[in-house]
Each structure stands twice: as C-alpha cells, then as structure tokens.
Amino acid sequence: MPPTLLDHPLAADLLTRLRARGTSPADFRELSRRLAVVLVLEATRDLPVAQVEVRTPMAPTTGAKLWSGIVAVPVLRAGLGMLPAVLDLFPNADVGPVGLERDELTLEPREYYAKFPPLEERQVLVLDPMLATGGSGSAACAAVKRAGASDIRFVCVVAAPEGIARMEGDHPDVPIVAAAVDERLDDSGFIVPGLGDFGDRLFGTSS
C-alpha cells in the first residue's frame, strides 16, 4: 500500500528545519519530538476506543475511553528520537527496543538487541526515522512479527522510493506513515536530499 504522507503546514515547517544542516543537536531533538507527535497522531488515527458514560457539570453524556494497547518499538539508535512523542501521547505505552546495525558494505542490517513486551493483540509502532534501503525497517517488522505482532505501523520521518518498495515487497500488510518521500538513495545508501545521518545529528556525534 502507498505510504500515508503528512499534509499539514506544521509538519512541513518542522521537517524543513530538521533538514537544515545548521540545526543544533538540541534543536534537532526538539524538532524531532514535535514532528513525531504529528506522525504518531496520524499512525494511530484508527486506534479503537470504548464508549463510556460521563457526567459533566451540566448533564450526563457519552464519551470515549482510549484503548491502551500501544507498544512503541524504536529502532536503535535513531528511533529513540521519536520515542518521547509516543510516551507523551500514550504514557501507558510499553516500549520494546530493537537494535540493528547497517553493514556499510552490504547495506543490510544485523540485529544485535531485541527485547519486547507481549505483542499479541496490541498495536505496534515501529519507529525508524529514515526509511532508506528498507533493510532495517523490514528487519524490525520481521522481528516484531516473530514476537507475535500482527497490527504493525511503520512510522518514519523521511522515506526513499527504494525503501518503500522493499517494505511493500516484504511487508505489504504494514502501513507506512511518513513526513516526506524524497528523490532517491545515493551510492552509500543515504537518502537524497534527506537530512543526513539522523542518529549523528540527534546525539551530536557527527564527525
């Protein structure tokens, strides 16, 4: 299925400032959190609710109680920049990080860590800011499926057409929510125009 793209001026403004090479790590972290809020709201648009009765100061009425079955799965390390937004919106969400490293020669991921809470009958948000080759995104989705997840949403900041094609081929049942789809990958597997190495910019580790 085609990705769901944010169509909101706030998201466009936040993404533009994230792309700017002069954005400091502190500002980059805050912009990432704010943009992730918009992304997560879109990804959970169909989150189930239960009808409840509530009495206002004026009269009784019917309201909604939010379902609490959210699990956030940040792909280490860059996905940690999106995690605060999930926990701000859903404080009772569980967190199951997965660690994936990219082999710079093959561009394929290697899993070095995964620890998940129960995933059956829960909505799993896989958080990975950059959907580039799609290798890490596909591997993360495969990992949560092996752990029992069936309702998965992949949430990213920027995607490349190559990554979208990989995800659609490997996981056609996983919706993708993104702020933008960029032009292409370069010879090193980085998104163009992209915004550079998200993890380095998030943690201030750029060389």
Side-chain angles (χ1 to χ4, degrees), residues 11 28-29 41 45 62 71 85-86 88 94 102 110 112 119-121 128 130 162 167 176 187 196-197 199:
F28 195 89
R29 286 190 286 270
L41 285 172
R45 178 180 291 275
T62 301
V71 178
V86 179
D88 284 347
D94 290 333
R102 187 175 72 163
R110 178 182 66 84
Y112 65 87
L119 301 180
E120 295 85 354
E121 299 182 2
D128 194 3
M130 308 301 285
E162 296 90 336
M167 287 289 288
I176 299 169
D187 292 340
D197 187 300

Side-chain angles (χ1 to χ4, degrees), residues 134-155:
S136 294
S138 178
C141 290
V144 296
K145 284 182 176 180
R146 289 194 299 270
S150 57
D151 184 356
I152 306 165
R153 318 292 167 94
F154 186 86
V155 187

Side-chain angles (χ1 to χ4, degrees), residues 105-116:
L105 294 178
T106 66
L107 303 183
E108 289 299 314
R110 178 182 66 84
E111 182 180 308
Y112 65 87
Y113 181 82
K115 190 172 182 65
F116 303 126

Side-chain angles (χ1 to χ4, degrees), residues 25-36:
D27 288 341
F28 195 89
R29 286 190 286 270
E30 176 60 17
L31 292 167
S32 299
R33 184 194 66 79
R34 292 173 59 194
L35 181 56

Side-chain angles (χ1 to χ4, degrees), residues 50-119:
Q51 286 193 339
V52 294
E53 298 299 317
V54 62
R55 178 174 288 276
T56 78
M58 304 301 294
T61 189
T62 301
K65 182 178 181 181
L66 193 64
W67 181 63
S68 59
I70 292 284
V71 178
V73 176
V75 177
L76 303 178
R77 63 182 169 149
L80 293 175
M82 305 175 74
L83 180 60
V86 179
L87 298 180
D88 284 347
L89 293 169
F90 305 104
N92 294 323
D94 290 333
V95 180
V98 58
L100 299 167
E101 291 180 330
R102 187 175 72 163
D103 186 309
E104 296 300 333
L105 294 178
T106 66
L107 303 183
E108 289 299 314
R110 178 182 66 84
E111 182 180 308
Y112 65 87
Y113 181 82
K115 190 172 182 65
F116 303 126
L119 301 180

Side-chain angles (χ1 to χ4, degrees), residues 172-196:
D173 56 326
V174 176
I176 299 169
V177 179
V181 175
D182 278 6
E183 296 172 9
R184 59 182 174 85
L185 299 180
D186 67 11
D187 292 340
S188 298
F190 286 95
I191 299 174
V192 179
L195 44 77

